[in-house]
Each structure stands twice: as C-alpha cells, then as structure tokens.
Amino acid sequence: MKVYLDNGATTRLDPRVLAKMRPYLTEKYGNASAINYLGQAAYLDLMEAKKRVAKLLGGEPAGVIFTSGATEANNLIIKGVALANQAKRKKIIISNIEHPCVRESANELARAGFQVEFVPANSEGLVTPEALRKIIDKETILVSVMAVNNEIGTINDIAALAKIAHQYGAYFHTDAAQAIPYLKIDIKKMGIDLLSLSGHKFYGPKGVGVAYIKKGIKVKPLMVGGGQENNLRSGTYNLPGIMGLTFALELAYKERAAYLKRVKALRDYFWQRINQEISGLKINGSMTKRIPANLNVQFTSIEGEAILMDLSHKGICVSTGSACSAANLQASHVLTAIGLSKNLLNSNIRFSFGRFNTKAEINYTIKALKETVKRLRSFSPIK
Ligand SMILES: Cc1ncc(COP(=O)(O)O)c(C=O)c1O
C-alpha cells in the first residue's frame, strides 16, 4: 500500500483543480500582458481570479499579487517593505519559529544594517501577544509572525498580534502558507496588512502563490522587467497556475467544515492508537491550538530519520520537521525554540494528514509504525 502522510510538505493536485487548469495550458494560452484577443481573454481571467481570491480572503483585488509561491511572497514582503520604508524606521521583528524563507530574508536585512529581533515562541509553540509587546517599539517597520507553523501545526492569534503591531505604527505580515484550508483567513477582520500563500499546500498547483499587499504600503520589487503586477512583480503571468490556485482556494473555503472534521477524525484515531500501542511517545507543541492535520511526535530512543526511511521503504511518506529543511541535517529550529532537550531533537516525525487519506491507509501505517519502532528500538544504543 502507498500512504502519503506528508501533506504539510505538499499536497496532491485535486483532479477538479487540474480540470480547471487544463484549458489555460491548451486553448487559452494567451499572454495576459498582450493586447491581442487571446492575451485580452487571459487578462480578463486574471482580473477575475484576483477578485475571487480577494473575496475569499476578505481583501481588495488590487492587493492580490501572484508570485511563484510562498518563498517568493515572503522574500518580496519582508525585504520589499523594509527596503521601501527604511527612511522612517529600521527595525524588523519576526518570530523564532518562522519558515527559513522568512528567517533568511530577515537575516539578509540584518546584514544590510537593519535591526532584526526575534519574538520567541513559548514551550507550546505559540507566539503570544505578551512576548511581542516586550520587544516592539516605535522603530519597528514590520512584524512578521506565521499563522500556522509548518513543523508542529500550532496556530497563532494573528488578530491579537496584528493589533499590537498597529499600536506601534508597524505593518503586520503573516506567512499563511500552512493556514489554508485550516483557518478562515479574513484579512480585514484580522487586521492583516501583508500575507503570503502557496497553492501547493491546499491541493492546488506548485509554483504559484500570493503576496497580498494592502493598498498604500510601499514595497520595493524583487523582480524587475516587464512591469507586471503594477510593477511589483515582473514576469509573464502563470495563468494555468493562477486559475488553479484560485479554484483550489474556493474549494478549500467551501469544503472547509467537512474537510476539518475528516482529517481530525483520522489524526485523532491515529494518535489514540499509536499512543496506546507504542510506548514512550509525546506530541510536540500545543494540542489545542493546532491544525487538525498535524501530528508531530517524539519517539524516545530512536532517530527520526531512521523511522522515516523505514516507513518510506514500506510505502509510507512522512517527514522529520519540515520537508524544506530535509537536505540540511541541522536540528529543527522550531523544536529547539520550544525547548526540547538536545537528546530529543532528532527523534521526531511529522505526520500530516490530508484530503485523500483513508482509514485503511491509517490502519496500515499504524501496523507498519509499530513494527518499525519495535525493530529500531531493539538495536538502539540510546535507551
Ligand atoms: C510556512 C511556510 N512558509 C513558506 C513555505 C514555502 O512555500 P513555497 O513552497 O510555496 O515556496 C512553506 C513550504 O513548506 C511553508 O510551510
């Protein structure tokens, strides 16, 4: 059996989304910047897509900038806002559990002379308003805190954090790449000024994302050239991707309640069984303020990598921490931030459940995992 429990790394394209994308790869292939009839048809669809995305997110169509994904959106927003507003202020705040594309963007700014400060997450993996209040001041240009953490699935109180940023005259950005379809993001209600999304995290295509930029915020572009996206992001519009992302986002909002119920039932069943049938397990991060698709489990006395490889040989895909850092064998900065001791930092597996998982797959995984853990523990030098 093949089981995919790595939906936090990426999701399978929903066949309904593929069907909506196909015409844009075949008949409707015009360049949305061209003034011939195919180009103009593409342009109209692009404008429609912006309206549809803005409506779902509770923002304005003009704020929707399509990018190649959340990495690009985060780079554009963090660096672009800092560079365009540096005459006034010099301080940037990000949390210490951000995705590397946010952290490295901030590190680049630090090397360029900006003051970068890290708001720490607590032991539950949450960034609290109190922690932000301790380090924010009137020098702060931008506060960036992720809506949902990619490794442990914890959910931050974005509205409360945004409110504090605004009290100090700073902009608030959230990397919401892991938030859809789990949270009902509403830009206006939550007080979000800037937001990043990625299509492939919610059953849409890879290589397309959104940088939402509220009207009036100055941003220095990363990409210059043809002047697309109101000069904020040059490059030919990826219309198949954009139409796919838009439809995938609509499905996520429309089917949200049933989806959440389904993944929660699978995850809770999985956890209840493995916790009963395998000794020495613990969950990393808050279990209440957490998306229902994520389970990050500590396995005492075994290396996470060994579990991952063993399960992979049995046809099961999981990950240790985030897939994005799999090539880099450093201990997870998220697990370090929430205070795991050194000997526990490499004993974790992230199981992330999704739309296409079945109960039969979960039962197969439980059986395989029990065998894997038993075998690995039998010759583990760590007791
Ligand atoms: C929280 C978070 N931000 C950003 C990204 C990067 O997104 P993309 O793959 O669209 O560049 C990811 C992907 O893993 C993520 O989980």
Side-chain angles (χ1 to χ4, degrees), residues 3-13 150 177-178 180-182 200-203 259 263 266 291 293-294 317-319 323 350-357 361-362:
V3 186
Y4 186 74
L5 291 178
D6 202 13
N7 290 279
T10 193
T11 56
R12 187 172 124 197
L13 185 70
N150 45 305
Q178 295 282 341
I180 308 283
Y182 306 100
H200 73 96
K201 303 287 185 186
F202 48 89
Y203 310 95
Y259 174 79
V263 286
L266 289 177
I291 59 166
N294 175 292
C317 292
V318 296
S319 69
R350 177 186 70 177
F351 300 94
S352 42
F353 302 81
R355 185 176 285 170
F356 302 109
N357 291 128
E361 290 176 355
I362 304 306

Side-chain angles (χ1 to χ4, degrees), residues 93-99 117-136 143-150 152-162 164 172-175 285-286 289 333-334 337-338:
I93 296 177
I94 69 166
S95 88
N96 67 348
I97 56 166
E98 294 301 311
H99 188 274
E117 295 216 8
F118 296 86
V119 52
N122 64 17
S123 60
E124 293 272 273
L126 302 166
V127 179
T128 65
E130 297 70 47
L132 176 59
R133 231 178 244 118
K134 277 191 194 148
I135 60 169
I136 193 166
V143 175
S144 178
V145 179
M146 67 203 320
V148 172
N149 181 265
N150 45 305
I152 53 177
T154 46
I155 302 171
N156 286 311
D157 186 346
I158 291 308
L161 296 166
I164 297 170
F172 184 80
H173 166 247
T174 189
D175 172 0
S286 167
K289 291 182 178 154
H333 69 288
V334 175
I338 66 170

Side-chain angles (χ1 to χ4, degrees), residues 291-308:
I291 59 166
N294 175 292
L295 198 64
N296 189 308
V297 183
Q298 239 178 72
F299 291 82
T300 31
S301 71
I302 340 176
E303 289 274 327
E305 295 287 326
I307 301 175
L308 182 153

Side-chain angles (χ1 to χ4, degrees), residues 59-361:
E60 299 297 329
V64 177
I65 306 301
F66 290 110
T67 64
S68 63
T71 298
E72 187 192 331
N74 285 333
N75 271 263
L76 171 65
I77 290 170
I78 309 278
K79 292 190 271 190
V81 170
L83 293 170
N85 294 278
Q86 60 181 321
K88 287 184 267 170
R89 297 172 174 211
K90 276 287 207 190
K91 178 164 158 179
I92 310 293
I93 296 177
I94 69 166
S95 88
N96 67 348
I97 56 166
E98 294 301 311
H99 188 274
C101 61
V102 169
R103 197 181 60 231
E104 290 310 317
S105 295
N107 285 343
E108 230 179 90
L109 291 172
R111 289 190 290 274
F114 285 85
Q115 182 190 351
V116 175
E117 295 216 8
F118 296 86
V119 52
N122 64 17
S123 60
E124 293 272 273
L126 302 166
V127 179
T128 65
E130 297 70 47
L132 176 59
R133 231 178 244 118
K134 277 191 194 148
I135 60 169
I136 193 166
D137 59 22
K138 296 242 156 119
E139 270 304 298
T140 311
I141 305 171
L142 177 71
V143 175
S144 178
V145 179
M146 67 203 320
V148 172
N149 181 265
N150 45 305
E151 294 191 32
I152 53 177
T154 46
I155 302 171
N156 286 311
D157 186 346
I158 291 308
L161 296 166
K163 200 167 162 191
I164 297 170
H166 294 159
Q167 283 164 358
Y168 288 83
Y171 295 125
F172 184 80
H173 166 247
T174 189
D175 172 0
Q178 295 282 341
I180 308 283
Y182 306 100
L183 307 190
K184 222 174 189 167
I185 294 285
D186 189 313
I187 288 173
K188 280 197 195 115
K189 269 198 203 142
M190 294 169 127
I192 296 166
D193 301 306
L194 304 131
L195 169 135
S196 310
L197 282 186
S198 175
H200 73 96
K201 303 287 185 186
F202 48 89
Y203 310 95
K206 292 171 181 58
V208 62
V210 171
Y212 185 86
I213 301 174
K214 198 168 99 182
K215 195 174 167 197
I217 301 181
K218 281 198 220 137
V219 180
K220 186 173 188 294
L222 292 176
M223 301 288 179
V224 291
Q228 285 90 343
E229 298 286 20
N230 209 11
N231 280 320
L232 278 174
R233 202 270 182 182
S234 287
T236 300
Y237 291 102
N238 168 11
L239 216 59
I242 290 169
M243 300 315 287
L245 176 146
T246 303
F247 187 60
L249 193 63
E250 283 171 346
L251 286 179
Y253 273 71
K254 194 165 129 221
E255 299 175 353
R256 187 172 162 268
Y259 174 79
L260 295 193
K261 209 168 141 195
R262 228 184 127 260
V263 286
K264 185 173 187 310
L266 289 177
R267 183 201 61 184
D268 291 352
Y269 168 72
F270 178 74
W271 170 241
Q272 193 207 338
R273 288 264 328 261
I274 62 166
N275 194 32
Q276 246 166 33
E277 297 170 34
I278 305 174
S279 63
L281 305 188
K282 200 170 164 276
I283 295 176
N284 295 312
S286 167
M287 201 52 189
T288 49
K289 291 182 178 154
R290 179 191 206 101
I291 59 166
N294 175 292
L295 198 64
N296 189 308
V297 183
Q298 239 178 72
F299 291 82
T300 31
S301 71
I302 340 176
E303 289 274 327
E305 295 287 326
I307 301 175
L308 182 153
M309 291 314 294
D310 211 60
L311 290 180
S312 185
H313 286 132
K314 294 172 180 167
I316 303 166
C317 292
V318 296
S319 69
T320 56
S322 69
C324 334
S325 61
N328 153 3
L329 284 179
Q330 276 174 2
S332 150
H333 69 288
V334 175
L335 299 180
T336 307
I338 66 170
L340 254 66
S341 60
K342 223 172 173 181
N343 59 328
L344 291 174
L345 282 173
N346 292 315
S347 303
N348 304 281
I349 292 287
R350 177 186 70 177
F351 300 94
S352 42
F353 302 81
R355 185 176 285 170
F356 302 109
N357 291 128
T358 63
K359 182 107 180 245
E361 290 176 355

